[in-house]
Amino acid sequence: ALSAHPQSAELQAAGALALVTLTSGTTAQNIECKQRASDCGASRHLAAAIRAHVRNQRVAEEACSAIATIAVGSDSCGQDNARCGQAAADAGALEAAILAMRSHPESEMVQYMACSAVNNICTSSEVLRQRAVALGAIEEVVQAMRRSAKARESKALANLVGGEVAGAERARQAGANESWIEMTHCMAGRYPHESRTCTQEFRTLGSRSARR
């Protein structure tokens, strides 16, 4: 559906949803479907769908969700994560996810799914993290958090900042408060034994900020 009917927003959204259904989970069949989807270039079609239907919220939501799922590998050591993330990035999925965020600033689900996509693409690659930062991902994630912070958005920000002074300053300039900056350091691995606490505290801080 994705490759055969690129002009149909309805079929693009339905195709992306089908990919999520097939590739989500940890069964052998799910893992095989995820690997096949990554290898056959599914992310390229998903990125194209976002660009072709840039104003369609459902396409953006479902396509970002599918990209987020496909960009995560099946191994525990991270090598497959890096391979899948790179494949998605090579297909233009990183730019497409950021485009979705910019095109649908008021949609919580688009913001959440796009943050998931950006985070999952970059999580195992410093090169891709820097590429996302150069594309303005930190600024987009901070704006999403200012509206309605969620755990996935906080993880994306921590990953993008990467514990670096320059990344923290970009987040600060985009509107992140000092409590958020502190949490990025915590969640980026400086205090790995506190990661779960950091996530919960980040969500609380974000929710308070969003209500202001």
Side-chain angles (χ1 to χ4, degrees), residues 23 25-28 30-35 69-85:
T23 58
T26 57
T27 67
N30 292 143
I31 293 171
E32 181 184 359
C33 287
K34 180 181 294 190
Q35 291 173 340
T69 304
I70 295 169
V72 176
S74 57
D75 65 338
S76 58
C77 62
Q79 292 181 354
D80 199 37
N81 284 345
R83 181 184 67 82
C84 291

Side-chain angles (χ1 to χ4, degrees), residues 15-26 29-39 42-43 46 60-75 80-85 87-88 93 97 112-121 123 152:
L17 178 59
L19 275 174
V20 173
T21 302
L22 290 169
T23 58
S24 297
T26 57
Q29 184 177 13
N30 292 143
I31 293 171
E32 181 184 359
C33 287
K34 180 181 294 190
Q35 291 173 340
R36 290 179 64 183
S38 179
D39 293 342
S43 292
L46 293 165
E61 179 183 327
E62 302 294 1
C64 284
S65 179
I67 290 169
T69 304
I70 295 169
V72 176
S74 57
D75 65 338
D80 199 37
N81 284 345
R83 181 184 67 82
C84 291
Y112 177 76
M113 293 304 179
C115 279
S116 296
V118 171
N119 183 69
N120 291 354
I121 290 170
T123 192
R152 178 56 64 178

Side-chain angles (χ1 to χ4, degrees), residues 35-208:
Q35 291 173 340
R36 290 179 64 183
S38 179
D39 293 342
C40 76
S43 292
R44 176 169 56 86
H45 295 295
L46 293 165
I50 292 172
R51 293 192 299 269
H53 305 282
V54 67
R55 297 300 176 189
N56 190 297
Q57 181 175 317
R58 184 169 175 241
V59 169
E61 179 183 327
E62 302 294 1
C64 284
S65 179
I67 290 169
T69 304
I70 295 169
V72 176
S74 57
D75 65 338
S76 58
C77 62
Q79 292 181 354
D80 199 37
N81 284 345
R83 181 184 67 82
C84 291
Q86 187 66 57
D90 290 345
L94 192 55
E95 290 85 350
I98 294 171
L99 174 62
M101 295 183 75
R102 290 175 177 155
S103 302
H104 303 277
E106 301 306 321
S107 171
E108 251 187 73
M109 285 306 298
V110 171
Q111 297 295 310
Y112 177 76
M113 293 304 179
C115 279
S116 296
V118 171
N119 183 69
N120 291 354
I121 290 170
C122 300
T123 192
S124 297
S125 171
E126 175 61 17
V127 172
L128 292 180
R129 183 190 74 81
Q130 292 178 5
R131 178 171 159 184
V133 170
L135 289 168
I138 286 178
E139 289 79 3
E140 295 304 322
V141 172
V142 168
Q143 293 309 308
M145 290 180 63
R146 284 169 62 86
R147 288 185 287 268
S148 177
K150 295 183 182 293
R152 178 56 64 178
E153 291 162 2
S154 64
K155 289 179 181 177
L157 182 61
N159 188 22
L160 291 166
V161 169
E164 293 184 348
V165 173
E169 184 56 30
R170 286 190 72 143
R172 192 176 288 112
Q173 290 297 320
N177 61 43
E178 291 306 312
S179 296
W180 289 10
I181 301 300
E182 278 187 45
M183 286 295 169
T184 65
H185 297 320
C186 177
M187 294 175 67
R190 289 192 178 183
Y191 317 106
H193 61 287
E194 297 177 359
S195 60
R196 182 174 297 178
T197 301
C198 286
T199 301
Q200 185 57 48
E201 290 181 6
F202 214 145
R203 292 180 69 181
T204 301
L205 288 166
S207 297
R208 289 173 180 169

